[in-house]
Amino acid sequence: MPSVSETTTIPAPIEEVWPLLSDPARVAACIPGATLSPDQSDGLWRGAIRVKFGPTVAQFRGEASLAYDHAVRTCSIEGKGIDGRGASRALASGVVKATPAGDETTLDVNGDFSVTGPLETFANAGGVHVARALLGEFAANMAKMVADQRASTSAVAPAAVVVPGASSAQPASNANDGIASRPATTSTTASAVEQRPAPAAAPPPPAVAEISAGRILWLAFKSWLSSLFGKRT
């Protein structure tokens, strides 16, 4: 059974990254071609991933159970999947751990997987490199999501707006006794000023378009070359 032990870095502090990693819908939005099923009522997260092979798009369905430990920022995953034609099946299990590294977050992924069917030979030979390529894509998309979230939450603070036609609450001089009149009451001031409504919360990000199989293979090939030369040094 092939194993995966990979580390990547997300250029954002863990206080911003972990809440996103704890949301399966946002995690799926960072995986190229991944979508979640609307029905997750029984605790299993069901979804699919689309991979483009030239003009053809293949789809793989799967489901996973997730167990979060927020104290140590880890997530345990047990999943299984099947391709659209039912010819290949996959099982996977692993642990994802997020660790603060200054203004960045280190993501460690450790697990095992097995594939049966026509894709078994390819998975055993290059599955680790494909996983490494997809993890790199995921980290880049997660970093972009953090940046987008910062932009949406850095809106200008609500400002007071004077209602057109409202009179200014300036104290007037009393000619009879020479004493300034009392300032406008609170109710008068409230009627003359209103607050801007807070900006609406940003909607969940759309799913990333399916990744090209050619790009996956190219990234996996680069990963294989890197590991090859790494062993020689």
Side-chain angles (χ1 to χ4, degrees):
M1 177 179 291
S3 61
V4 175
S5 181
E6 296 297 331
T7 299
T8 191
T9 300
I10 300 175
I14 198 167
E15 292 77 13
E16 294 180 278
V17 172
W18 180 247
L20 299 179
L21 290 175
S22 303
D23 184 345
R26 293 188 177 273
V27 169
C30 291
I31 301 174
T35 56
L36 284 179
S37 167
D39 180 17
Q40 312 293 346
S41 57
D42 57 359
L44 289 176
W45 292 92
R46 296 181 178 85
I49 185 167
R50 292 158 55 91
V51 181
K52 189 174 183 180
F53 295 87
T56 304
V57 176
Q59 182 162 295
F60 300 85
R61 306 186 313 274
E63 61 184 34
S65 61
L66 309 176
Y68 287 96
D69 188 337
H70 298 284
V72 293
R73 298 190 178 99
T74 63
C75 176
S76 299
I77 305 171
E78 297 284 342
K80 61 182 179 180
I82 185 172
D83 69 359
R85 297 178 180 178
S88 294
R89 299 173 183 270
L91 295 174
S93 63
V95 175
V96 178
K97 180 176 178 57
T99 306
D103 292 334
E104 298 181 330
T105 299
T106 300
L107 208 61
D108 294 300
V109 180
N110 293 279
D112 302 291
F113 67 92
S114 64
V115 177
T116 59
L119 294 176
E120 180 176 359
T121 301
F122 171 76
N124 291 339
V128 171
H129 302 292
V130 171
R132 184 178 300 163
L134 290 176
L135 183 60
E137 294 283 308
F138 171 81
N141 291 330
M142 178 63 69
K144 182 180 183 302
M145 182 179 289
V146 171
D148 292 343
Q149 181 169 274
R150 286 177 182 172
S152 65
T153 56
S154 63
V156 179
V161 179
V162 177
V163 178
S167 59
S168 59
Q170 295 290 339
S173 175
N174 190 326
N176 294 329
D177 53 18
I179 301 176
S181 63
R182 294 181 180 178
T185 62
T186 303
S187 59
T188 302
T189 304
S191 64
V193 178
E194 67 178 9
Q195 296 292 325
R196 291 185 190 272
V208 182
E210 67 270 1
I211 190 171
S212 166
R215 175 169 171 77
I216 292 178
L217 292 176
W218 169 242
L219 293 174
F221 178 67
K222 288 170 59 178
S223 171
W224 174 76
L225 286 179
S226 176
S227 65
L228 183 65
F229 285 109
K231 291 179 180 179
R232 291 182 177 180
T233 55

